[in-house]
Amino acid sequence: MARLDLPDDDRLYQALLDRDPAYDDRVFVTVASTGIFCRLTCPARKPKRENCAFYARPAECIAAGFRPCKRCHPIANEGRQTK
Ligand SMILES: [Zn+2]
């Protein structure tokens, strides 16, 4: 499976707005305005599109300088992802 083959940003942003559980643990969103990253299913208010970037792994978000969200705990399941 090509796990880095993410859908395009338009679809991912819509999934973020919808809190689509299909992408949970597969895609994470960084928010430039707050410096945190989240699961797409995060209950927090949704950021503006221009502040969002999407990554397949929490480690990539951290490497980019973002901290995990305290509400959705995006690294809670790290290492326990289903293949
Ligand atoms: Zn969050």
Side-chain angles (χ1 to χ4, degrees), residues 1 7 12 15 18-27 40-41:
M1 232 176 117
L12 291 173
D18 294 343
R19 299 187 175 92
D20 187 344
Y23 294 98
D24 196 23
D25 274 334
R26 296 179 58 210
V27 183
L40 299 197
T41 52

Side-chain angles (χ1 to χ4, degrees), residues 54-69:
F54 298 96
Y55 294 89
R57 296 183 62 80
E60 295 175 57
C61 302
I62 292 169
F66 292 88
R67 289 178 297 180
C69 175

Side-chain angles (χ1 to χ4, degrees), residues 9-20:
D9 283 6
D10 286 337
R11 186 172 303 186
L12 291 173
Y13 189 69
Q14 189 59 50
L16 174 69
L17 295 180
D18 294 343
R19 299 187 175 92
D20 187 344

Side-chain angles (χ1 to χ4, degrees), residues 38 42 69 72:
C38 280
C42 184
C69 175
C72 61

